[in-house]
Amino acid sequence: MATLSGQKVKNAFSSLLKLATNTATTTLKNVESGDGVATALQIGTTKVGVNRILEFPTVPATGSTETSALFLNASNQVIKRTLNAAAFSGGAVTTATLPLAITSSTVRLDNPSSISDIGAIANGDRFLIYDVSTNSWRRIDYSNLKSLINPGGYQSAPELVARTTAALSLTAAAQYLEFQPIGSLATESNKVGDGAAYLNLLSVYGGTNDAVEFLQDGGIYQITICMAITTSAPGAVVKFFFELNGAVINTNETTLGTGADHFVTQSTFANLNAGDLLAVTALETGAARVPIDQYSILHIRKL
């Protein structure tokens, strides 16, 4: 119906629009036809509502410089928000390169197998490392990392190679072995690796360098004697005793066979702490002359 002119109310009232109840207030009220059919439109004195689909029969004009847009808030109200111009740069896509990979919701480190191998590592090359003291990612140069992992080149386990000072003729009474002083000569006792921080020779039991002092706590040590014996008395029995702080912790007894040259080797293990003293005594049970040759070895190695 184009006009109400000349129309009777009884024939045209269904084409009229009215509020569902009474007059307009701040509360949204449905806009209805005269015969009570609700429309999608709601009206209040401070706002307008759309109950269903908001449609533009004619497409609005297009702009290229505007940065404000309409959004729905949590109460389904239309609000305006001004965005950064970058939000409207259509088609902008972030592309990751290996080893990074990006999906719709995550950024991850992917398998780097297709990245070229670095080849020879140079001191300026860098690694990514997490610093727990600052809760942040940092970098570390290869040269610094190398010095932290291996600060002074290769270090063997702490060792002491103690050589006996002179030929010792064994008797029925146990005698303490004495050792050459620490030095660099082949005839002297030697400390290997950082042995200087763990082991030392002391004169404790009446002789010279007749005990080994341990300088560090809580270490397992392998203790080995390698004794060269020259005697023409077959059947002689020799005994070696490992003493720790004056108490015997291990014993070796060997019956010498025929021939003049003999070699006796015996090992034991002990958990040793700072201040402990280790010594080796020896005796023979026969009447023959049984000498331990000079430069026989007591070898101590921290495991």
Side-chain angles (χ1 to χ4, degrees):
M1 181 180 294
T3 178
L4 293 175
S5 177
Q7 299 293 319
K8 294 180 179 180
V9 173
K10 68 174 183 177
N11 297 325
F13 78 94
S14 62
S15 299
L16 302 177
L17 295 179
K18 68 177 185 69
L19 293 180
T21 58
N22 301 323
T23 59
T25 66
T26 56
T27 302
L28 287 176
K29 295 182 177 181
N30 288 334
V31 175
E32 299 177 346
S33 64
D35 55 358
V37 178
T39 69
L41 185 65
Q42 294 179 316
I43 294 178
T45 58
T46 59
K47 51 192 171 183
V48 174
V50 177
N51 241 340
R52 296 185 183 270
I53 299 172
L54 178 62
E55 182 177 314
F56 294 93
T58 302
V59 178
T62 301
S64 59
T65 59
E66 293 79 6
T67 56
S68 295
L70 298 179
F71 293 89
L72 287 179
N73 65 14
S75 299
N76 286 328
Q77 295 172 337
V78 177
I79 58 170
K80 182 186 83 169
R81 180 177 177 183
T82 300
L83 305 176
N84 187 286
F88 298 92
S89 56
V93 177
T94 301
T95 303
T97 57
L98 285 172
L100 290 179
I102 299 177
T103 64
S104 60
S105 59
T106 61
V107 178
R108 70 177 187 274
L109 285 174
D110 214 348
N111 187 343
S113 59
S114 60
I115 298 176
S116 299
D117 187 84
I118 193 171
I121 297 180
N123 284 334
D125 292 336
R126 294 166 179 172
F127 296 85
L128 189 65
I129 191 167
Y130 189 75
D131 183 357
V132 295
S133 66
T134 61
N135 293 321
S136 61
W137 285 97
R138 304 272 181 126
R139 66 168 175 82
I140 185 170
D141 289 356
Y142 169 71
S143 57
N144 293 332
L145 183 62
K146 180 175 64 173
S147 65
L148 289 172
I149 295 174
N150 188 13
Y154 172 74
Q155 288 276 353
S156 69
E159 295 180 65
L160 172 66
V161 180
R163 294 174 171 84
T164 54
T165 55
L168 175 66
S169 293
L170 299 183
T171 65
Q175 302 175 70
Y176 284 95
L177 302 187
E178 299 179 23
F179 302 97
Q180 298 277 21
I182 302 295
S184 59
L185 301 178
T187 57
E188 294 176 315
S189 297
N190 306 116
K191 292 179 180 179
V192 182
D194 56 346
Y198 288 82
L199 304 157
N200 191 35
L201 286 174
L202 291 179
S203 301
V204 177
Y205 299 108
T208 301
N209 296 329
D210 55 8
V212 178
E213 178 187 22
F214 294 85
L215 306 177
Q216 300 281 349
D217 279 338
I220 302 295
Y221 291 82
Q222 180 180 12
I223 306 162
T224 302
I225 55 170
C226 301
M227 298 289 125
I229 298 174
T230 304
T231 179
S232 58
V237 177
V238 294
K239 288 185 177 182
F240 293 93
F241 304 88
F242 295 93
E243 289 187 5
L244 181 62
N245 301 323
V248 175
I249 60 171
N250 195 280
T251 303
N252 171 272
E253 179 177 313
T254 301
T255 300
L256 302 180
T258 58
D261 298 320
H262 307 274
F263 197 75
V264 176
T265 300
Q266 174 69 24
S267 289
T268 191
F269 298 86
N271 187 356
L272 303 171
N273 295 299
D276 283 344
L277 296 173
L278 177 78
V280 179
T281 62
L283 59 80
E284 62 90 15
T285 59
R289 180 177 179 274
V290 180
I292 297 176
D293 295 349
Q294 186 181 17
Y295 307 136
S296 291
I297 297 295
L298 168 65
H299 179 214
I300 300 174
R301 182 175 185 270
K302 187 177 186 299
L303 301 179

